[in-house]
């Protein structure tokens, strides 16, 4: 085992405060449980898995180090840091809200008067909004860095063998394992780690070694913990990982009391933080779907931890909250187990306020799309659009219930008439909200090992005749055989297939070619609006419906307006763009400010490509570099879920769309098309009669 070369990290700043937290219980000393804000700030989050060690740069570390100091000679104080950071964040957020309101008023004034003074102030104010937003985001990052108190209990690499051999009842065979073969590193010349160069980066490790590395110093800050939580199922089961943590807790709980600087104390407390992070981020995919695993954890906490350590009560409360959130589906977008309700509520309030902006400067964000007849966009226009979209969120979409509400009649009786009456933008908004509802329930882990679920690289990934329960897990299963896998991805893909089938069915059931042209145009405009709003899921679903073999052969395509027909080529270009790179939607900063819904099938294919090839080296060690790349790609699921769409819902229109999609989800497009004469090329009667007469003349001539 080699040292990773990282210098003093987050731990040294807060040791003294933890030493003061020692209390006496029945003649023995135990560490007091952390306060609720400390406890709930453990989860590293998606950014940790995506950015790794670069998530928190030296500027964040230096800023936090200077917080809480009234004078340069004074020592650091955690409570002072918290108070000052909260005050700064609240003040900057309040100023940002006021500036947005002022921008809105100024924008309305400029539209009415069009005065030169007002017009010159708008660009300056937009620049101020950019600066203020960046400062708020920086303070939120500092707050997240401050909340990662788990690094106080990290151990040096030389102590990892103690972690491995602490707890004699491991479920995995640890006999005759050479310590030097548990973890492998490679050298890198330039890699920031507390301003030091020449560090060793983890390359591979055995399952036991990779689990032990969770206790290494800076494993949280460098993103290893979050990456491990996403990918550990490739080399160990949930039961094995839980048993590993419980063994360390049970072996060190009674003796981790006399001195907070001892290895046993660090191992004990670090185990609690790792367990907490696991519950916060992966409750829905590991504990909610495995009652035996959940029961084992609850029984251990109740019988061995709750009476001795305050962590037990906190963990039980965390499990109850996670279960309640999953049952109620109240806040799936922000992630299961997140306890920072005040900050989340603040973001929602700010996001709702930003909806009131009426200028849409961020609708068209894709300059790679085809632009036939319009020419390239000027460079200054691109810069203005990109700068504006980074500052300003989507405009408020006022409710159009009165304009497009569905009557009490059944959707079957209304038919496709309502699709023609509603605008493409209205339908785009409501389809996006419906798609967001489904997308917010998925987890990054759902996109792993999709080959075992039968997901393949073709338009229809899930056969309609095969239910999720009957899918065999014996085919290309990359997880361990006893590892329980949640199959929500199949529901996500089946929902996508249902929308594609609905699009095709609505078109082929139109009884006139004129109406087919209108409906084709409407769906193309909806898809265009969707991808411009970064709802790539619905855009690709509509494209799949339009590319149905029966639909592509309809005569209506020949009389479709040229400008509308070009949208089909744009959609194909979007599809090529999405398939070109697994992280194409994470480029730049637009994904941080603009809501995004990726195509589930395209993302699953990218993950399958990363899964291709062996996961182990010749010595049996698992390739951590490969697992780290997979974790980085799937982490974008949580990144997109943090920034939801804020369109005003029209529940009646959504109900109509749901009913139409449900009606046609299992439809046979060929059978529907066969009952409609508008789906066939018609030959004029006179021309048809003339052809018969010419044929008869030729036949008659051959017999003469």
């Amino acid at each position: 085992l080699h040292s990773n070369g990282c210098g003093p990290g987050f731990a040294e700043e807060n040791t003294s405060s933890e030493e003061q937290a020692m209390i006496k219980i029945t003649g023995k000393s135990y560490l007091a449980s952390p306060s609720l804000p400390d406890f709930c700030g453990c989860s590293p989050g998606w950014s940790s898995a995506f950015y790794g060690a670069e998530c928190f740069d030296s500027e964040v570390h230096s800023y936090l180090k200077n917080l809480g100091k009234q004078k340069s000679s004074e020592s650091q104080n955690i409570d002072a840091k918290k108070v000052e950071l909260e005050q700064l964040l609240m003040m900057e957020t309040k100023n940002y809200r006021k500036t947005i309101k002022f921008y809105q008023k100024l924008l309305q004034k400029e539209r009415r008067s069009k005065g030169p003074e007002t017009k010159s102030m708008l660009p300056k104010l937009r620049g101020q909004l950019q600066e203020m937003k960046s400062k708020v985001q920086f303070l939120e990052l500092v707050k997240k860095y401050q909340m990662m108190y788990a690094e106080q209990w990290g151990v040096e690499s030389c102590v990892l063998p103690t972690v491995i051999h602490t707890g004699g009842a491991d479920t995995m065979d640890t006999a005759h394992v050479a310590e030097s073969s548990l973890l492998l590193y490679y050298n890198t010349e330039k890699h920031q780690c507390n301003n030091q160069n020449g560090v060793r980066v983890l390359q591979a490790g055995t399952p036991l070694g990779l689990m032990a590395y969770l206790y290494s110093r800076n494993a949280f800050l460098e993103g290893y913990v979050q990456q491990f939580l996403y990918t550990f199922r490739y080399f160990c089961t949930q039961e094995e990982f839980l048993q590993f943590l419980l063994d360390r807790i049970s072996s060190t709980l009674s003796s981790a009391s006399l001195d907070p600087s001892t290895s046993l104390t660090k191992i004990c407390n670090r185990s609690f933080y790792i367990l907490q992070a696991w519950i916060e981020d992966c409750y829905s995919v590991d504990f909610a779907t495995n009652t035996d695993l959940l029961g084992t954890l609850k029984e251990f906490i109740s019988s061995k931890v709750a009476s001795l350590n305050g962590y037990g009560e906190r963990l039980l409360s965390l499990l109850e909250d996670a279960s309640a959130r999953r049952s109620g589906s109240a806040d799936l977008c922000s992630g299961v187990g997140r306890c920072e309700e005040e900050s989340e509520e603040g973001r929602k309030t700010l996001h709702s306020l930003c909806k009131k902006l009426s200028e849409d400067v961020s609708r068209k964000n894709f300059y790679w799309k085809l632009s036939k007849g319009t020419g390239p966009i000027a460079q200054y226009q691109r810069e203005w659009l990109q700068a504006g979209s980074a500052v300003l969120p989507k405009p408020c979409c006022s409710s159009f219930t009165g304009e497009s509400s569905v009557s009490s009649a059944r959707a079957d009786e209304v038919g496709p008439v309502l699709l023609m009456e509603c605008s493409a933008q209205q339908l785009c908004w409501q389809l996006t909200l419906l798609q967001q509802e489904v997308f917010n329930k998925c987890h990054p882990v759902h996109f792993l090992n999709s080959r075992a679920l039968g997901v393949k690289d073709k338009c229809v990934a899930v056969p309609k005749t095969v239910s999720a329960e009957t899918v065999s897990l014996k085919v290309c299963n990359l997880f361990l055989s006893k590892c329980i896998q949640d199959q929500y991805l199949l529901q996500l893909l089946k929902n996508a297939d249902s929308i594609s089938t609905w699009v095709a069915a609505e078109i082929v059931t139109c009884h006139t070619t004129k109406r087919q042209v209108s409906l084709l145009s409407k769906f193309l405009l909806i898809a265009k609006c969707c991808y411009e709003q970064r709802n790539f899921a619905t855009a690709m679903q509509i494209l799949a419906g339009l590319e149905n073999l029966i639909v592509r052969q309809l005569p209506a395509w020949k009389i479709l307006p040229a400008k509308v027909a070009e949208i089909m080529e744009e959609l194909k270009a979007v599809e090529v763009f999405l398939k070109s790179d697994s992280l194409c939607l994470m480029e730049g900063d637009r994904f941080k400010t603009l809501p995004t819904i990726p195509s589930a099938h395209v993302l699953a294919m990218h993950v399958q490509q990363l899964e291709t090839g062996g996961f182990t080296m010749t010595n049996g060690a698992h390739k951590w570099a490969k697992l780290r790349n997979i974790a980085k790609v799937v982490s974008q699921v949580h990144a997109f879920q943090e920034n939801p769409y804020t369109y005003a819902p029209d529940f009646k229109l959504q109900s109509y769309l749901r009913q139409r999609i449900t009606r046609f989800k299992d439809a046979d497009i060929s059978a529907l098309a066969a009952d409609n004469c508008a789906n066939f090329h018609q030959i004029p009667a006179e021309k048809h009669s003339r052809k018969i007469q010419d044929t008869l003349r030729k036949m008659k001539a051959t017999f003469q």
Side-chain angles (χ1 to χ4, degrees):
L1 292 171
H2 303 282
S3 173
N4 58 7
C6 292
F10 187 84
E12 295 180 357
E13 298 182 11
N14 304 316
T15 305
S16 59
S17 63
E18 290 296 335
E19 291 175 353
Q20 298 173 0
M22 301 290 291
I23 60 175
K24 295 283 185 176
I25 302 178
T26 62
K28 294 184 178 181
S29 298
Y30 294 96
L31 278 175
S33 62
S35 60
L36 184 58
D38 298 354
F39 184 82
C40 292
C42 173
S43 174
W46 69 267
S47 57
S48 176
F50 184 79
Y51 295 107
E54 298 177 357
C55 183
F56 303 103
D57 56 16
S58 58
E59 184 180 359
V60 174
H61 181 79
S62 301
Y63 188 88
L64 181 62
K65 189 175 182 180
N66 294 326
L67 279 177
K69 282 185 177 182
Q70 299 298 330
K71 299 178 182 179
S72 59
S73 59
E74 291 185 2
S75 61
Q76 299 169 357
N77 183 279
I78 293 181
D79 293 332
K81 291 176 185 287
K82 290 180 185 178
V83 173
E84 185 175 347
L85 183 60
E86 288 292 344
Q87 290 177 349
L88 287 172
L89 186 57
M90 181 176 63
M91 182 178 63
E92 292 296 333
T93 304
K94 185 181 296 185
N95 291 337
Y96 183 49
R97 290 172 179 169
K98 289 181 179 179
T99 308
I100 288 179
K101 288 183 179 180
F102 179 66
Y103 178 87
Q104 170 67 16
K105 293 179 181 179
L106 198 65
L107 187 62
Q108 293 176 353
K109 183 179 179 181
E110 188 268 340
R111 287 177 174 175
R112 290 195 301 265
S113 62
K114 298 183 179 180
E117 297 181 358
T118 306
K119 208 167 190 177
S120 63
M121 288 181 63
L122 285 175
K124 298 179 181 178
L125 192 59
R126 192 177 295 116
Q128 293 179 7
L129 281 171
Q130 172 68 36
E131 295 178 1
M132 297 175 72
K133 185 175 181 66
S134 300
K135 191 168 185 178
V136 170
Q137 291 176 341
F138 176 78
L139 290 175
E140 288 178 344
L141 188 62
V142 174
K143 183 178 180 180
K144 188 174 184 180
Y145 180 75
Q146 184 200 28
M147 301 301 283
M148 300 180 71
Y149 294 102
E151 287 300 355
Q152 298 171 90
W153 311 113
V155 300
E156 300 295 342
S157 295
C158 59
V159 186
L160 293 183
T162 304
V163 175
I164 294 172
H165 296 294
T166 298
D170 288 334
T171 57
M172 307 178 72
D173 184 14
T174 61
H176 304 95
V177 176
E179 294 176 356
S180 60
S181 64
L182 292 174
L183 293 172
L184 298 176
Y185 300 89
Y186 67 88
N187 295 322
T188 177
E189 295 180 359
K190 294 182 179 181
H191 182 81
Q192 289 186 350
C193 185
N194 298 321
N195 299 326
Q196 293 191 13
N197 296 329
V199 301
R200 297 180 184 272
V201 179
L202 183 64
Q203 181 183 14
T206 64
L208 191 59
L210 293 175
M211 286 190 285
Y213 195 76
L214 292 168
Y215 293 77
S216 177
R217 287 192 57 181
N218 296 319
F220 272 86
L221 293 177
E222 293 176 353
Y224 177 82
V225 173
Q226 189 66 44
Q227 294 162 357
F228 179 94
L229 293 176
Y230 284 160
T231 59
F232 73 86
R233 298 154 196 82
Y234 288 108
F235 54 84
C236 73
T237 65
Q238 294 95 331
E239 287 79 7
E240 290 172 343
F241 180 38
L242 178 62
Q243 194 61 48
F244 179 87
L245 296 176
L246 299 186
D247 286 342
R248 271 78 203 153
I249 294 175
S250 60
S251 300
T252 58
L253 185 61
S254 59
S255 57
S257 57
L258 300 178
D259 186 358
S261 63
T262 62
S263 298
L264 293 180
T265 300
K266 291 183 177 181
I267 292 172
C268 180
N269 286 281
R270 186 60 165 244
S271 299
F272 280 116
Y273 275 105
I274 296 171
L275 183 58
Q276 175 200 340
W278 185 16
I279 296 172
E280 287 179 2
D281 282 317
C282 301
Y283 177 87
S284 61
V285 293
D286 288 328
F287 295 96
T289 57
N290 191 339
T291 55
D292 294 337
L293 188 74
L294 183 60
T296 301
L297 177 58
K298 286 185 175 180
E299 182 181 358
F300 177 85
I301 295 174
S302 301
S303 60
K304 296 186 179 181
V305 180
S307 60
L308 298 178
N309 194 299
Y311 281 106
E313 296 180 1
R314 299 294 189 184
L315 288 174
L316 289 175
S317 176
L318 185 64
L319 288 171
E320 292 177 1
D321 292 342
S323 178
R325 290 186 183 184
R326 178 175 172 82
S327 300
S329 299
D331 192 19
L332 288 168
C333 180
S334 60
V336 175
R338 305 287 174 88
C339 300
E340 302 176 18
E341 296 180 358
E342 294 182 0
S343 60
E344 289 294 333
E345 186 64 27
R347 290 196 196 100
K348 291 179 183 178
T349 304
L350 180 62
H351 201 60
S352 300
L353 178 67
C354 295
K355 287 198 310 176
K356 297 180 181 179
L357 293 173
S358 58
E359 183 181 47
D360 187 5
V361 296
S362 56
R363 177 172 302 171
K364 296 183 179 180
N365 295 294
F366 300 95
Y367 314 120
W368 42 263
K369 67 180 183 180
L370 300 181
S371 55
K372 296 179 181 178
T374 60
I377 300 177
Q379 181 64 27
Y380 76 92
Q381 289 178 320
R382 296 188 184 186
E383 294 176 354
W384 181 82
L385 283 172
Q386 190 168 3
S389 62
V391 182
L392 307 176
K394 290 297 178 183
C396 175
C397 303
S398 57
S399 176
F400 48 86
T401 305
E403 300 177 4
S404 62
S405 60
V406 185
S407 64
S408 57
R410 293 171 57 86
D412 295 349
E413 298 174 359
V414 176
V417 176
L418 194 60
L419 291 175
M420 305 306 302
E421 293 179 353
C422 295
S423 68
Q425 191 177 49
Q426 291 172 342
L427 292 168
C428 165
W429 291 341
Q430 301 312 308
L431 286 171
T432 297
L433 292 178
L434 293 177
Q435 188 65 42
Q436 179 173 257
E437 181 181 341
V438 179
F439 173 68
N440 283 346
K441 297 178 182 179
C442 71
H443 189 279
V445 176
H446 288 144
F447 291 87
L448 305 179
N449 195 32
S450 58
R451 281 193 184 93
L453 302 179
V455 180
K456 299 180 180 179
D457 189 9
K458 55 183 180 180
C459 295
V460 182
V462 182
K464 298 189 182 76
T465 57
V466 180
S467 63
E469 291 77 8
T470 59
V471 175
S472 174
L473 296 179
K474 296 181 180 180
V475 181
C476 300
N477 186 14
L478 300 175
F479 288 176
L480 296 188
S481 58
K482 295 182 180 179
C483 189
I484 297 178
Q485 182 175 5
D486 191 344
Q487 300 182 8
Y488 182 75
L489 178 61
L490 295 181
Q491 300 180 32
L492 201 61
L493 296 178
K494 192 167 186 178
N495 175 76
D497 187 41
S498 298
I499 294 178
S500 299
T501 306
W502 163 66
V503 171
E506 291 284 13
I507 295 172
V508 300
T509 52
C510 290
H511 294 291
T512 63
T513 303
K514 182 178 180 181
R515 194 170 256 190
Q516 280 186 347
V517 171
S518 299
L519 204 54
L520 278 173
S521 302
K522 180 59 65 71
F523 277 122
L524 285 169
L525 292 172
I526 293 173
K528 179 182 177 67
C529 185
C530 282
Y531 85 73
E532 288 179 347
Q533 305 294 328
R534 293 179 66 88
N535 175 12
F536 300 100
T538 304
M540 294 300 99
Q541 291 160 10
I542 294 176
L543 176 62
L546 296 176
E547 287 189 323
N548 181 281
L549 183 61
I550 304 298
V551 176
R552 288 299 294 164
Q553 295 177 351
L554 295 178
W557 288 98
K558 293 185 176 181
I559 56 177
L560 198 67
K563 290 184 178 180
V564 178
E566 287 179 0
I567 300 177
M568 193 69 176
E569 300 303 318
E570 289 184 20
L571 292 174
K572 293 180 180 179
V574 173
E575 185 179 31
V576 172
F577 170 76
L578 295 177
K579 292 180 178 181
S580 63
D581 184 10
S582 59
L583 298 175
C584 60
L585 299 181
M586 298 289 283
E587 295 177 354
D589 293 330
R590 281 181 294 179
F591 75 92
K592 297 179 182 178
T593 57
L594 302 177
T596 304
I597 302 180
S599 171
H601 188 262
V602 173
L603 180 56
M605 292 301 101
H606 281 306
V607 177
Q608 283 191 11
Q609 186 175 5
L610 293 175
E611 291 175 334
T612 303
F615 277 80
T616 58
M617 303 176 69
T618 55
N619 61 354
H622 289 262
K623 301 176 183 177
W624 178 247
K626 183 184 183 75
L627 297 174
R628 182 170 54 239
N629 289 334
I630 293 175
K632 183 177 182 179
V633 171
V634 298
S635 67
Q636 60 186 305
V637 173
H638 275 163
F640 298 145
Q641 290 173 344
E642 279 191 356
N643 197 7
Y645 289 89
T646 56
Y647 302 137
D650 185 338
F651 298 108
K652 292 184 178 179
L653 180 56
Q654 288 184 14
S655 176
Y656 164 80
L657 293 172
R658 289 179 191 271
Q659 292 182 46
R660 297 294 292 181
I661 293 172
T662 302
R663 177 187 178 187
F664 290 114
K665 66 178 183 179
D666 297 320
D668 187 344
I669 303 300
S670 301
L672 291 176
D675 296 334
N676 188 1
C677 61
N679 297 321
F680 303 96
H681 294 272
Q682 303 296 327
I683 301 176
E686 296 180 0
K687 186 176 181 180
H688 184 63
S689 176
R690 194 178 303 112
K691 283 186 176 182
I692 295 177
Q693 293 177 2
D694 292 342
T695 303
L696 289 175
R697 290 195 197 96
K698 292 179 181 179
M699 293 294 295
K700 186 176 181 181
T702 57
F703 289 106
Q704 289 180 350

